[in-house]
Amino acid sequence: MQGYILLEGGAEFGGQMSEPDRRAIELAGGPESPVSIIPTAAAPDNNHQRAGRNGVNWFKSLGATHVESLPLIDKVSANDLLIVNAISKSRLIYMLGGFTGYLGETLKNSASWQAMLQAYSNGAVIAGSSAGAMVMCQYYFDPGKRLVVGGLGLLLNTCVLPHHDTFGKNWAQQLTSLLPGVVLLGIDEQTGMIDDAEEGRKIGWRVYGQGAITLYRGGKPTVYHTGERFNDDFLH
């Protein structure tokens, strides 16, 4: 039983981000399902504890009763058996925003990422905001290095432009040139997209939250607003 993917554009843990996050809790099995916050992307500036607490408080405010921030902050902890075990038992795994390259490199080839993939294959929700969403794709743009980097590959043929309504849209022209044939997913702040199509339906993704999702195919944008659905043919 394959799970679900939630990609969010940033400005997490507040406002209308409640809409996609409540849906994620529902898809994970309801309020009593275990939720794991992954604060790795906030570790380079030593902000992971505060950011993790914010995530725990946020999901509890939405009704989740079993929420934990895991101390996954580097390569060593990414292979720690206790953390891997906790991830394996989670039904909603949420990677928050921060330093994209650090998050991607920390999870790459780690036991924690393998545990996330296994949980996903068993029906769990894998979620990420900003950097957390970016690393799940086949490619991500590392703004620190100004380079396109190979991501974790959960979503093929894609690259997320987070914070699309503020600064992410400014990456579109450059990344269209650097990644010809790849679909760019522009995600506004406090906005998410979930592949929660009902069984038997072809339209795979739905937009939740405050803003819109902009898909760039060959540089041509198509905009989908909250409540609208679109298919996932870009993954092939």
Side-chain angles (χ1 to χ4, degrees), residues 202-218:
K202 291 183 179 179
I203 305 299
W205 295 83
R206 183 174 178 178
V207 184
Y208 291 85
Q210 173 177 287
I213 305 293
T214 305
L215 266 61
Y216 294 87
R217 291 181 171 94

Side-chain angles (χ1 to χ4, degrees), residues 73-117:
I73 57 171
D74 53 25
K75 282 279 193 184
V76 174
S77 52
N79 292 292
D80 182 279
L81 287 179
L82 289 176
I83 292 175
V84 171
N85 248 0
I87 290 171
S88 299
K89 296 174 182 175
S90 299
R91 301 304 293 164
L92 169 55
I93 300 158
Y94 190 102
M95 295 181 281
L96 51 77
F99 291 80
T100 311
Y102 185 83
L103 173 61
E105 286 303 311
T106 300
L107 289 179
K108 188 176 181 180
N109 300 321
S110 71
S112 284
W113 177 243
Q114 291 305 311
M116 291 184 206
L117 292 177

Side-chain angles (χ1 to χ4, degrees), residues 120-136:
Y120 172 68
S121 71
N122 291 331
V125 180
I126 306 294
S129 180
S130 191
M134 293 167 73
V135 299
M136 282 195 265

